[in-house]
């Protein structure tokens, strides 16, 4: 990628105005070849000046040339129309555990809204990659929606892989310090919800019990 910049340079105390010049290239090339240290100056008044200086630098982008990435910017080994997906989320004020700290401070953004965005991005990414919607199961365990027990949902996912060559489990939500995932489970037909914690090792253990060695389908967990 390359930029074309127009640079205008002024030293107020010396009434020195350098004629605007154009720079073309990228940051790496400029750092290599346009460093300021030990470079000669054409401002004669600066050679004898003692005291403070006020610099005004005006930079304008005249042109920007970018090229598409040569490689996909995300590792996509988990994307295939031949895989089946279970996407689980559990976050919000009713869910126990700790939300993950957000990177940066975006006004109006909470961990709950970030999880909702992540789930939608994952769904669109999978569908855009050719995965059929019926091979993507999304379950929200934030306490408002009725769902099967999280363990039942996971065991059904392992027990019925269909023709999938790989199972992918994605969790986005609150967790305990020991890594356990936190769910607010509301059983079908019930007004109240209960707290459920599931450790990743339990997930692997259930999968081993439900899939004998002769037909074991690879499992990938993404958090």
């Amino acid at each position: 990628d390359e930029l074309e910049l127009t640079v205008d340079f002024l030293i107020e105390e010396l009434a020195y105005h350098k004629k605007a010049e154009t720079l073309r290239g990228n940051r790496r090339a400029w750092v290599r070849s346009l460093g300021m240290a030990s470079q000669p100056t054409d401002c004669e008044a600066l050679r004898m000046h003692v005291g403070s200086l006020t610099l005004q630098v005006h930079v304008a982008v005249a042109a920007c040339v970018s090229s598409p990435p040569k490689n996909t910017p995300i590792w996509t080994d988990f994307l295939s129309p031949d895989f089946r997906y279970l996407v689980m989320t559990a976050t919000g004020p009713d869910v126990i555990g700790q939300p993950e700290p957000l990177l940066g401070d975006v006004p109006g953004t909470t961990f709950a809204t970030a999880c909702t965005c992540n789930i939608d991005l994952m769904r669109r990414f999978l569908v855009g990659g050719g995965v059929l919607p019926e091979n993507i199961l999304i379950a929200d365990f934030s306490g408002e929606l009725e769902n099967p027990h999280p363990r039942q949902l996971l065991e059904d996912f392992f027990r019925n892989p269909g023709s999938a060559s790989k199972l992918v489990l994605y969790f986005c939500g609150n967790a305990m310090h020991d890594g356990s995932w936190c769910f607010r489970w509301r059983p079908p037909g019930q007004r109240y919800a209960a707290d459920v914690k599931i450790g990743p090792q339990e997930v692997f253990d259930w999968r081993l019990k439900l899939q004998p060695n002769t037909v074991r389908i690879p499992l990938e967990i993404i958090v």
Side-chain angles (χ1 to χ4, degrees), residues 10 57 63 72 94 111 137 181:
L10 173 69
V57 181
T72 306
D94 296 330
F111 182 64
L137 176 61
W181 303 338

Side-chain angles (χ1 to χ4, degrees), residues 66-172:
S66 60
S67 56
K70 296 180 180 179
N71 298 314
T72 306
I74 183 171
W75 181 59
T76 57
D77 187 60
F78 66 85
L79 175 62
S80 171
D82 297 327
F83 299 168
R84 287 197 71 212
Y85 300 83
L86 174 57
V87 179
M88 307 178 77
T89 183
T91 186
D94 296 330
V95 182
I96 60 172
Q98 297 296 319
E100 184 177 345
L102 297 178
L103 297 177
D105 185 13
V106 181
T109 300
T110 64
F111 182 64
T113 58
C115 284
T116 299
C117 180
N118 286 345
I119 296 300
D120 184 60
L121 287 173
M122 174 64 81
R123 181 191 60 79
R124 287 190 288 161
F125 176 71
L126 295 176
V127 172
V131 180
L132 296 177
E134 54 263 34
N135 286 330
I136 306 171
L137 176 61
I138 299 177
D140 186 344
F141 284 92
S142 299
E144 296 181 1
L145 301 178
E146 298 179 359
N147 282 300
H149 191 281
R151 176 170 181 173
Q152 179 184 339
L153 192 65
L154 288 164
E155 290 184 339
D156 289 344
F157 182 62
F158 300 144
R159 187 183 292 111
N160 303 303
S163 59
S165 60
K166 183 177 182 179
L167 298 177
V168 179
L169 171 60
Y170 174 58
F171 175 79
C172 184

Side-chain angles (χ1 to χ4, degrees), residues 4 14 18 38 49 54 82 92-93 113 128 131 138 157 181 184 186 196 200 207:
E4 181 178 319
L14 305 179
K18 183 176 177 62
S38 302
H49 179 78
T54 303
D82 297 327
T113 58
V131 180
I138 299 177
F157 182 62
W181 303 338
R184 185 67 177 169
R186 183 182 175 190
V196 177
R207 175 244 182 179

